[in-house]
Amino acid sequence: VVILLVTFVPQPFTVIPSQRAVVFEDLAGTDISSMNRTIPLNSSIPPLAFAVKNTGPFREDIVVNLRLFNLASFGFVIRFIAYKIGSNTTPVDVDTVTFQLNASQWAILDLRVISPPPPWPGPLPVDVNFEVHATTRDDVVSSNLTVTLHVTP
């Protein structure tokens, strides 16, 4: 017991961060924070495809939703139409998707964009924005992807 008391050196506890993160990537695996597309009135564009990646060390529940601001009131229809994790593709038609990603795993999301019919309430062309918001279920970690649509006649 004496040896234990003489040789005991107290060590402070340290907090090791978990490095939780959710990021958007293009299909080549490059981090992205924005996308730009041109869309004429009264039309649709090929689905926007991008990935949401869990870069943390643990399995996470991920919630991805659209922040359309006022685009729906102008007649835009913007919806997730599918997501793919590994080799499993899940068709959907929603504005919010929830899925689980393992550490360093990603989900590829397809987003449909349909523009409103004419008339537009101002001069064209014009740029409008919306966001894709990804977060962990506990809202501790999040990321945003800004999509700019260049609306033409």
Side-chain angles (χ1 to χ4, degrees):
V1 176
V2 173
I3 293 173
L4 180 60
L5 292 174
V6 173
T7 60
F8 178 73
V9 178
Q11 296 292 321
F13 289 106
T14 58
V15 177
I16 300 172
S18 66
Q19 303 297 324
R20 294 171 68 191
V22 176
V23 297
F24 287 96
E25 295 183 347
D26 62 18
L27 298 184
T30 303
D31 288 0
I32 57 172
S33 61
S34 65
M35 297 178 82
N36 301 303
R37 294 293 187 272
T38 298
I39 185 168
L41 284 180
N42 204 30
S43 67
S44 63
I45 55 176
L48 302 178
F50 54 88
V52 174
K53 185 174 183 181
N54 171 18
T55 63
F58 307 108
R59 182 179 185 96
E60 293 278 7
D61 291 330
I62 307 295
V63 179
V64 184
N65 67 328
L66 299 173
R67 294 179 172 174
L68 298 181
F69 307 118
N70 63 350
L71 291 184
S73 65
F74 285 102
F76 280 90
V77 177
I78 303 172
R79 309 279 284 177
F80 294 109
I81 57 172
Y83 64 90
K84 180 179 179 180
I85 301 173
S87 61
N88 297 322
T89 300
T90 304
V92 294
D93 185 17
V94 295
D95 60 4
T96 300
V97 292
T98 303
F99 45 79
Q100 290 185 334
L101 292 177
N102 292 322
S104 300
Q105 190 176 32
W106 65 345
I108 298 172
L109 289 92
D110 291 331
L111 188 64
R112 177 182 61 211
V113 178
I114 300 172
S115 64
W120 183 259
L124 290 173
V126 66
D127 290 340
V128 296
N129 299 305
F130 67 92
E131 285 182 346
V132 181
H133 178 72
T135 185
T136 54
R137 189 177 296 275
D138 60 10
D139 281 330
V140 172
V141 176
S142 66
S143 184
N144 291 317
L145 175 67
T146 301
V147 180
T148 301
L149 299 174
H150 185 70
V151 182
T152 61

